Every structure is written in structure tokens, then in C-alpha cells.
């Protein structure tokens, strides 16, 4: 399965969840398949999508939060898995789209391939609800069954041909904050 195909399925099941997306091509692909004010596209801070999502989930416990992260980004901030395990918010689902490469910088292999299993790393960090989805049917089932924890999805390396996000960073944060804020909704 290609990453953009997985993103289409996730967007279809996201409902009104707040979505924090890793930077680079994953953000561009999410923008192409399902732009909406409730999406936060990271334009920097590689490795911090799960930390931002955790803070958001703790601050807004009544809202569902989905983090879309990559294997390379998770490797940059493995400590976030322990923090996620300790806080364990039931409104946060971290989805790791594992393509085995740093896709936005030239597809150099990440240290994940082929021996490290990030789902097992998440379990070892103490995350209680961890699942690996393999293929479209399994992903659809997993998205229906799982509302919190860490989900790993193996996707093909490569990026979809999608345009750049034509929002300024100011636009991204302003509309996201309006969507996430209880006062401004």
C-alpha cells in the first residue's frame, strides 16, 4: 500500500478529530487528500508530531487526536513513546506510517529497515494498545477497532506527486487553533 492510499483511508475515518501530521511529503499528501482546518501540518520540528499530539490530547481530553508520523521521525524522538505510555490518553491515536526511508530527503534508508519493529518498541516502552496493520483491509479494520494507542502501518517507499501546501505557516496555525479551541468553534 502506498502512503497516500493509507492517508485516504485514515482521512475517511478521522471524523472531527484533530490531526497532527509529520512534516514533508506526508503533510503534502494529507493536504492533497483531505485538507481541513483541523489538520496541523508540521513545517519543521521533525520528530515532534507525537509530542505535539500528546500535549493536544491532554489539553483537550474531549477531542479525539490523531498523529500521523513516519518511522524516521519516531526514531528522532523515541522518548515520546515512553511519555505516551506514562500519560496514556484515551483520546490519542499515533499512527506510524513506516516506509523504511526518509522519504522527504531522498529516500535514504532509516535504521528501522529491516530489523527494528517500531510496534514492538512502542510495546516495550509501555504503550498498552499497539497494533500493526498490514494492507488495506487490515488498516480499515484497525481504524474501526482502535481509538487510542500506537498503530504501525507498513507502506511502500516513495512519495506521491502532490503540490506544495499553499498555506502560510501563519494560516496553518490560525485555522488549526480556531478548530481546536473550545472558545472559537
Amino acid at each position: 500500500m502506498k502512503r497516500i492510499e493509507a492517508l485516504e483511508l485514515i482521512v475517511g475515518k478521522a471524523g472531527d478529530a484533530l490531526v497532527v501530521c509529520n512534516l514533508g511529503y506526508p503533510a503534502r499528501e494529507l493536504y492533497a487528500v483531505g485538507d481541513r482546518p483541523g489538520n496541523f501540518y508540521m513545517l519543521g520540528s521533525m520528530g515532534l508530531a507525537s509530542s505535539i499530539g500528546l500535549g493536544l490530547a491532554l489539553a483537550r481530553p474531549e477531542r479525539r487526536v490523531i498523529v500521523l508520523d513516519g518511522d524516521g521521525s519516531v526514531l528522532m524522538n523515541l522518548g515520546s513513546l515512553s511519555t505516551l505510555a506514562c500519560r496514556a490518553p484515551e483520546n490519542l491515536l499515533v499512527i506510524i506510517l513506516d516506509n523504511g526511508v526518509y522519504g522527504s530527503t531522498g529516500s535514504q534508508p532509516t535504521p528501522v529497515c529491516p530489523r527494528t519493529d517500531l510496534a514492538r518498541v512502542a510495546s516495550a516502552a509501555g504503550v498498552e494498545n499497539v497494533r500493526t496493520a498490514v494492507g488495506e483491509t487490515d488498516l480499515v479494520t484497525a481504524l474501526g477497532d482502535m481509538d487510542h494507542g500506537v498503530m504501525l502501518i507498513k507502506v511502500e517507499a516513495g512519495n506521491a506527486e502532490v503540490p506544495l501546501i499553499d498555506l502560510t505557516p501563519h494560516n496553518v496555525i490560525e485555522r488549526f487553533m480556531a478548530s481546536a479551541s473550545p472558545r472559537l468553534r
Side-chain angles (χ1 to χ4, degrees):
M1 175 186 330
K2 294 180 179 176
R3 180 179 53 219
I4 196 167
E5 295 167 343
L7 290 171
E8 288 171 340
L9 294 172
I10 294 165
V11 165
K13 297 284 188 177
D16 68 346
L18 299 169
V19 177
V20 178
C21 188
N22 183 30
L23 72 168
Y25 272 97
R28 290 172 57 180
E29 291 174 7
L30 176 62
Y31 182 74
V33 300
D35 178 47
R36 61 194 181 92
N39 292 353
F40 181 71
Y41 307 106
M42 293 183 58
L43 302 174
S45 306
M46 183 175 177
L48 295 179
S50 59
S51 298
I52 293 169
L54 176 59
L56 188 59
L58 294 174
R60 298 296 317 272
E62 76 284 7
R63 297 287 304 267
R64 184 172 182 227
V65 178
I66 297 173
V67 171
L68 303 172
D69 217 343
D71 51 307
S73 291
V74 169
L75 287 171
M76 290 191 71
N77 189 12
L78 277 177
S80 69
L81 294 175
S82 292
T83 307
L84 177 64
C86 290
R87 301 304 300 250
E90 293 190 1
N91 61 332
L92 174 61
L93 177 61
V94 175
I95 300 175
I96 303 170
L97 299 151
D98 181 358
N99 62 4
V101 299
Y102 294 102
S104 296
T105 60
S107 295
Q108 303 87 357
T110 64
V112 167
C113 63
R115 301 187 61 168
T116 302
D117 181 337
L118 288 174
R120 291 179 66 194
V121 172
S123 291
V127 178
E128 292 183 1
N129 195 18
V130 178
R131 180 171 180 167
T132 298
V134 179
E136 181 178 333
T137 302
D138 196 26
L139 175 56
V140 169
T141 300
L143 289 168
D145 294 345
M146 194 171 176
D147 57 1
H148 68 281
V150 174
M151 181 188 307
L152 179 79
I153 305 167
K154 289 286 190 179
V155 294
E156 298 172 20
N159 303 312
E161 291 294 324
V162 292
L164 293 171
I165 296 172
D166 60 359
L167 301 170
T168 66
H170 182 77
N171 293 146
V172 171
I173 194 66
E174 285 292 322
R175 68 185 207 149
F176 183 77
M177 288 177 65
S179 179
S181 173
R183 295 171 295 167
L184 301 176
R185 288 187 76 199

